[in-house]
Amino acid sequence: MVHTFTQGGHRIALDSASGAVHVLSELSYKILQYLKPPLSPRCPTSLRYNLAMYSADDINEAYGELYELYTEGMLFSEDVKIPNTTPDAKYIPIKSMCLHIAHDCNMICKYCFADTGDFKRKRSLMSLETAKKAIDFLLEKSAGIKNLELDFFGGEPLLNFDVVRETVKYGREREKEFGKNIRFTMTTNGTLLDDEKIDFINEHMSNVVLSIDGRKEVNDRIRTYMDGSGTYDDILPKYKKLVEKRTSGTYYVRGTYTRENLDFAKDVISLADAGFDQISVEPVVLPYSDPLSIRPEDLPRIFEEYDLLTEEMIKRYREGNAFNFFHFMVDLDAGPCVYKRMKGCGSGSEYVAVTPEGDVYPCHQFVEHTDYKLGSIFGGELDDARRSEFAGCNICTNPECEKCWAKYFCGGGCAANNYNFAKDIKVPYDIACQLERKRVECALTIKAAIAEMEE
Amino acid sequence: MKNVKTLNKSTYAKKSLGAGCGECQASCQSACKTSCTVANQKCEKPNKK
């Protein structure tokens, strides 16, 4: 499957199965529109009629180059055949955990999927005993895997900072016994950051996600304290200090755009202008009945905004002040293998969420759906039939994904989003699919522009 | 080539032989806790492919 598109004056072809990306001349781009595999070594005579404005020699030469890519497996290549796409989850190690250290929050963000922090339950903080048990559970369930992840999540994890600190200490002790390496990460709203917490995060968190929505007026309309006042002026200097003092590991300032700021490129740029160079801003996922929700009719406007952001990022790269946008990141040479691309996020199988009570769920977004509980860290069997259902839901088994040219970039999308819209983890949430395809095009356009600059 | 410039030095089909070690990060943990994407994730063994 070959996807062709033009953006920013670049003509681009992506060979979906191999991941090869080609920037084409006008002639070869036109030729490609007429080709279907299998290709013949001889240039089809029909091309001369269809492209009569070009000389036969030019057409032959351009076709020959495309044919060479075809024989090298970089054009119209066949999908890699991966056996056993519906494995038994009993044999899948759990390597990644979202630890809900606090089902409580000091903010009431209007779009919060966690229902302002409590996940539609009693507000609670995880005990140290439970957090330690969660570490043990992760170490014991991750047979054969060395690198593990544990994300401190909420609610707001810094409401339970003492337990976070002791959990990290415990994890560092226990990982040695198992010969493993736990990478701790955290997602925070930033309001409770102080020098002590900043230093702790920078020392112990391999990645930290700092929530902020961009421009002050956009952030403060949505991301507020309990009394309705905005958080921007409090968190921005704290984030700046954290990033300035950070000497290792990664960070992202992360925002959410809604129907109220479809001009979200301004928010991304606002964060870049504030001095951040690692930025993630993504669409809200809410039912269409919610006034903040993204709806199908918003997509053309959103696509325009991604185009604007693409142009601005190319311009800044040229000027030497580039920044990184998470959803345009593509590593064409050292990215993940096909297996990773096939499995996606691994929710329910190799990735789970654990509540303050020690209950295990397929991911943080399933925690409010109690019928999806997989078990408990305190004992008993996990629901491996349910885990297998998640493991078996991937780009090789989903008919919608199988025919999508962007599947190896996307990994199959978000099971929670699918469930929330269709009550079926296998039915893709179409808005996310369309946005993912658009963002891949933008990412490849940036790659093409940079390659052109470097010529 | 006169008409084509290929941006990759390799392709993931070629790189995936012997891969699938499972050591890489869960994609939703990195910077998107509400959406999914894998192409921006790092391989733990980029030099072994």
Side-chain angles (χ1 to χ4, degrees):
Chain A
M1 187 184 338
V2 174
H3 174 64
T4 59
F5 66 99
T6 61
Q7 186 173 339
H10 303 281
R11 290 169 288 268
I12 297 171
L14 165 68
D15 184 52
S16 175
S18 72
V21 179
H22 312 289
V23 182
L24 305 172
S25 69
E26 184 180 272
L27 172 56
S28 58
Y29 185 83
K30 285 181 178 172
I31 290 175
L32 202 45
Q33 311 307 314
Y34 291 104
L35 299 184
K36 282 184 181 165
L39 300 193
S40 158
R42 285 174 59 94
C43 180
T45 51
S46 59
L47 287 175
R48 293 181 201 162
Y49 297 104
N50 291 322
L51 299 167
M53 67 291 276
Y54 295 95
S55 75
D57 286 348
D58 285 348
I59 292 172
N60 277 333
E61 183 182 26
Y63 179 82
E65 292 175 4
L66 294 174
Y67 182 75
E68 189 179 330
L69 294 173
Y70 172 68
T71 58
E72 289 174 353
M74 297 173 85
L75 201 62
F76 297 114
S77 63
E78 290 189 16
D79 269 344
V80 178
K81 301 296 180 198
I82 299 173
N84 191 21
T85 52
T86 54
D88 184 344
K90 195 175 290 181
Y91 305 106
I92 299 176
I94 294 173
K95 65 174 191 175
S96 188
M97 180 181 284
C98 183
L99 192 65
H100 291 224
I101 205 81
H103 271 191
D104 197 1
C105 191
N106 57 341
M107 291 173 65
I108 47 168
C109 304
K110 294 184 176 66
Y111 48 45
C112 184
F113 70 84
D115 200 33
T116 70
D118 62 7
F119 289 81
K120 297 181 180 170
R121 293 151 189 237
K122 187 166 70 90
R123 290 183 180 265
S124 58
L125 300 179
M126 182 177 281
S127 68
L128 179 57
E129 180 199 5
T130 302
K132 285 181 173 178
K133 188 69 186 168
I135 294 275
D136 294 344
F137 178 88
L138 182 61
L139 289 166
E140 288 161 8
K141 294 285 185 186
S142 55
I145 300 290
K146 181 176 182 185
N147 293 314
L148 311 179
E149 297 154 22
L150 188 140
D151 189 42
F152 291 104
F153 198 66
E156 171 49 41
L158 292 180
L159 283 171
N160 202 8
F161 179 62
D162 289 342
V163 172
V164 170
R165 188 167 43 200
E166 291 304 311
T167 305
V168 171
K169 188 178 167 191
Y170 180 74
R172 287 284 170 258
E173 291 166 5
R174 293 283 284 157
E175 69 182 358
K176 293 189 191 83
E177 296 170 33
F178 284 78
K180 293 179 187 280
N181 172 39
I182 303 176
R183 290 168 179 158
F184 292 103
T185 60
M186 181 183 284
T187 304
T188 178
N189 67 30
T191 55
L192 299 172
L193 285 171
D194 56 24
D195 286 344
E196 181 196 6
K197 295 185 182 77
I198 285 173
D199 290 344
F200 177 84
I201 287 170
N202 281 342
E203 184 178 351
H204 295 287
M205 300 296 141
S206 66
N207 184 41
V208 57
V209 178
L210 308 166
S211 299
I212 184 170
D213 277 355
R215 291 166 291 180
K216 174 178 163 63
E217 62 271 25
V218 171
N219 184 85
D220 286 355
R221 201 162 53 215
I222 303 277
R223 301 188 62 80
T224 68
Y225 290 110
M226 297 293 187
D227 65 2
S229 62
T231 54
Y232 184 90
D233 289 337
D234 282 350
I235 59 176
L236 188 70
K238 292 174 179 175
Y239 289 167
K240 285 184 175 180
K241 182 184 269 191
L242 186 150
V243 171
E244 279 167 15
K245 294 177 82 173
R246 194 161 177 80
T247 55
S248 65
T250 54
Y251 82 91
Y252 285 92
V253 286
R254 184 204 172 283
T256 301
Y257 67 82
T258 74
R259 205 157 200 259
E260 290 189 352
N261 64 314
L262 294 179
D263 59 346
F264 61 90
K266 291 190 176 75
D267 294 292
V268 178
I269 291 161
S270 164
L271 292 168
D273 287 343
F276 302 109
D277 61 0
Q278 304 296 323
I279 302 168
S280 172
V281 174
E282 60 185 307
V284 75
V285 180
L286 286 169
Y288 298 145
S289 56
D290 192 297
L292 296 176
S293 66
I294 303 294
R295 298 164 211 175
E297 60 266 31
D298 298 326
L299 288 174
R301 175 73 186 85
I302 292 172
F303 291 170
E304 283 176 21
E305 206 62 19
Y306 279 125
D307 287 342
L308 286 172
L309 183 57
T310 301
E311 289 169 21
E312 182 65 19
M313 288 181 68
I314 292 169
K315 174 173 165 280
R316 291 190 182 214
Y317 184 92
R318 187 180 292 118
E319 293 169 348
N321 61 341
F323 64 87
N324 184 32
F325 181 63
F326 182 81
H327 289 87
F328 287 175
M329 282 167 68
V330 172
D331 187 339
L332 294 178
D333 293 314
C337 64
V338 165
Y339 295 86
K340 170 70 173 176
R341 293 171 189 269
M342 185 197 80
K343 288 189 296 187
C345 68
S347 64
S349 55
E350 57 185 27
Y351 169 53
V352 296
V354 174
T355 69
E357 297 76 33
D359 294 337
V360 181
Y361 282 86
C363 87
H364 54 289
Q365 291 202 69
F366 273 99
V367 162
E368 67 179 76
H369 304 298
T370 51
D371 50 336
Y372 270 82
K373 179 180 165 182
L374 297 174
S376 168
I377 60 169
F378 290 108
E381 293 293 314
L382 287 183
D383 184 347
D384 285 328
R386 181 73 92 181
R387 290 182 64 220
S388 298
E389 182 190 345
F390 275 82
C393 180
N394 59 55
I395 62 171
C396 296
T397 58
N398 190 318
E400 287 298 313
C401 295
E402 199 177 15
K403 64 188 180 190
C404 175
W405 60 263
K407 59 186 172 184
Y408 289 115
F409 288 78
C410 160
C414 173
N417 289 350
N418 296 353
Y419 179 77
N420 287 333
F421 277 82
K423 294 290 173 251
D424 186 339
I425 63 170
K426 297 183 184 69
V427 177
Y429 166 46
D430 185 60
I431 286 182
C433 296
Q434 294 204 52
L435 292 177
E436 175 68 5
R437 286 192 283 267
K438 178 62 186 174
R439 291 186 300 229
V440 171
E441 289 187 348
C442 292
L444 298 182
T445 299
I446 291 171
K447 292 286 185 192
I450 290 172
E452 188 178 78
M453 279 182 236
E454 291 174 348
E455 268 181 0
Chain B
M1 287 184 179
K2 186 176 157 189
N3 289 281
V4 183
K5 179 181 175 62
T6 300
L7 299 183
N8 325 55
K9 294 184 183 70
S10 183
T11 61
Y12 44 69
K14 289 176 184 170
K15 286 188 303 181
S16 294
L17 297 171
C21 67
E23 293 288 351
C24 54
Q25 189 180 27
S27 45
C28 203
Q29 294 278 55
S30 46
C32 63
K33 296 292 285 195
T34 59
S35 76
C36 216
T37 182
V38 293
N40 55 16
Q41 299 298 302
K42 285 180 186 162
C43 175
E44 287 289 333
K45 298 180 177 176
N47 299 322
K48 291 190 178 178
K49 291 179 181 176

